[in-house]
């Protein structure tokens, strides 16, 4: 019998089945042959929240969560963060290889020439309430792009796909910056093609109408570039899964990206960086850290920015962000919240509760502190995450479309509701006792 197989004995029937192992995994469809009789549907796998289910094969990002390793297309995140620009890494993630000099020049030039947004999108953004959350504006505006680019529905046309990728990578910083300016009541700033991707983003955020040209601080622009590199992709996370799932229905990339961004906005995912800052505000000072840790251990609150589904070791991105913070604080001055964060980390890393559950700081634990020192308000943090992650979503989307094994994503369920029952007329309905857990 070949070694890379599993033998399963069905104790209901006594029958044995040999199923192949595919790259160390059982194909769930191979379980379907295990039946008690011809009317039996066959065995399914049951895996709420995909705790142990691979939904695809992917060549984009490699993570070893136990060892704390993250690589894009095989390259360690530490090397990319040190040596590359964000757009160089974006090219690598999207197209599989680091660009040559001329490929990079052409890519940067094309992205730069797609940074403008249609004037009607500006008007669309004007319609948001003055205190609209920037992430809500971001999600809705990305979705609205679908109505401006109807050609995007040609998802099987490689040229069309490439054009939408250029548009999205080019326009997300502009939309993010406009959401920010809108929330402050400031006029929008058009992109400046003479600046780099992150410098231009900073100009659109912070240039004042009276200034002829925005002079970005090079240290802050580089820090933002590094943060963008660290956030660019993270394999099959919640938002990438949303992108693939919506994209699998052959929806266009704008609405699929909007769906992914919506998933990112949740506090258990990209919304955590905002939640970390609010938590640090609530703690207030280093003296209050031990009491807060006790609240976490009692299960009253979660320590935001800690823990990860995949990393059961220090998140390598958090380590790089900590180094970047030092550079940023030399320019902006030290964010006093850093002391609270460092104390939280110090206590948590030696406390049995966190050690036994392998809870370490994740990417969001320190990123918010840097963003705040740079002048961002917490409600912008998740938008800052969404800009670079758009690259990852698009790479995952493209890979999904080119994968012949993929179909519309449609999980099975185990039905636990009523069996057949017949309609009861209103006059005969007696009502029911509502259990305490269902009362509203
Ligand atoms: N604080 C306190 N306890 C925690 C935390 C936390 N941040 N995270 C997990 N735990 C505990 C759980 O209570 C659970 O304990 P138990 O076994 O006694 O019940 C155990 O650790 C396992 O936690 P799960 O929720 O089962 O782990 P899961 O893999 O489902 O969750 C998640 C991962 C959602 C990231 C979780 O760690 C969390 O909520 N962290 C805080 C939010 C956060 O920082 N999210 C950002 C993630 S990174 C990203 O998306 C970019």
């Amino acid at each position: 019998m070949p070694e890379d197989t599993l033998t399963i004995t069905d104790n209901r029937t006594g029958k044995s089945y040999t199923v192949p192992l595919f790259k160390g995994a059982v194909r769930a469809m191979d379980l379907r042959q295990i039946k008690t009789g011809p009317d039996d549907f066959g065995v399914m796998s049951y895996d709420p929240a995909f705790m142990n289910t691979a939904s695809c094969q992917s060549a984009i990002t490699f993570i070893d969560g136990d060892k704390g390793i993250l690589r894009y297309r095989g390259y360690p995140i530490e090397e990319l963060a040190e040596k590359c620009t964000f757009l160089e890494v974006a090219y690598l993630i999207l197209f599989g290889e680091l660009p040559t000099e001329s490929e990079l020049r052409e890519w940067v030039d094309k992205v730069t020439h797609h940074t403008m947004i249609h004037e009607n999108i500006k008007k669309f953004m004007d319609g948001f309430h003055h205190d609209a959350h920037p992430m809500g504006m971001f999600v809705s505006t990305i979705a609205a792009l679908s109505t401006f680019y109807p050609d995007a529905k040609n998802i099987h046309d490689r040229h069309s796909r490439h054009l939408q990728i250029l548009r999205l990578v080019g326009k997300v910083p502009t939309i993010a910056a406009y959401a920010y300016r809108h929330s402050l009541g400031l006029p929008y700033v058009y992109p400046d093609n003479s600046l780099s991707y992150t410098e231009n983003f900073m100009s659109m955020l912070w240039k004042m109408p009276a200034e002829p040209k925005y002079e970005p601080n090079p240290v802050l622009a580089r820090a933002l570039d590094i943060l963008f590199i660290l956030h660019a992709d993270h394999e099959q996370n919640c938002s990438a899964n949303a992108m693939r799932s919506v994209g699998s229905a052959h929806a266009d990339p704008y609405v699929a990206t909007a769906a992914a961004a919506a998933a990112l906005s949740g506090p258990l995912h990209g919304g955590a960086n905002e939640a970390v800052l609010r938590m640090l505000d609530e703690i207030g000072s280093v003296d209050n850290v031990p009491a807060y840790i006790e609240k976490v251990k009692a299960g009253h609150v979660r320590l935001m920015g800690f823990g990860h589904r995949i990393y059961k070791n220090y998140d390598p991105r958090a380590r790089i962000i900590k180094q970047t913070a030092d550079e940023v604080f030399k320019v902006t001055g030290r964010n006093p919240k850093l002391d609270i964060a460092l104390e939280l980390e110090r206590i948590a890393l030696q406390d049995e509760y966190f050690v036994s559950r392998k809870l370490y700081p994740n990417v969001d634990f320190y990123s918010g502190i840097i963003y705040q020192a740079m002048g961002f308000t917490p409600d912008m943090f998740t938008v800052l995450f969404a800009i670079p992650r758009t690259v990852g979503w698009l790479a995952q989307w493209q890979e999904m479309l080119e994968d012949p094994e993929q179909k519309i994503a449609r999980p099975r369920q185990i039905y636990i509701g009523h069996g057949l029952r017949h309609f009861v007329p209103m006059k005969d309905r007696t009502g029911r006792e509502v259990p305490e857990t269902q009362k509203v």
Side-chain angles (χ1 to χ4, degrees), residues 221-236:
R222 178 64 192 144
L224 210 48
D225 225 44
I226 293 173
L227 284 158
F228 280 6
I229 292 170
L230 300 182
H231 285 89
D233 191 55
H234 213 231
E235 52 118 308
Q236 306 313 313

Side-chain angles (χ1 to χ4, degrees), residues 51 267-270 272 296 301-309 312 317 353-354 357 359 362-364 385:
M51 294 290 289
L268 296 190
H269 191 9
V296 173
V301 283
R302 283 205 162 192
L303 186 54
M304 298 313 286
F306 256 71
H308 198 277
R309 173 61 61 78
K312 301 301 169 198
R317 301 168 299 174
Y353 176 95
F354 298 90
R357 289 171 178 77
L359 300 171
N362 60 49
V363 67
D364 286 324
F385 191 154

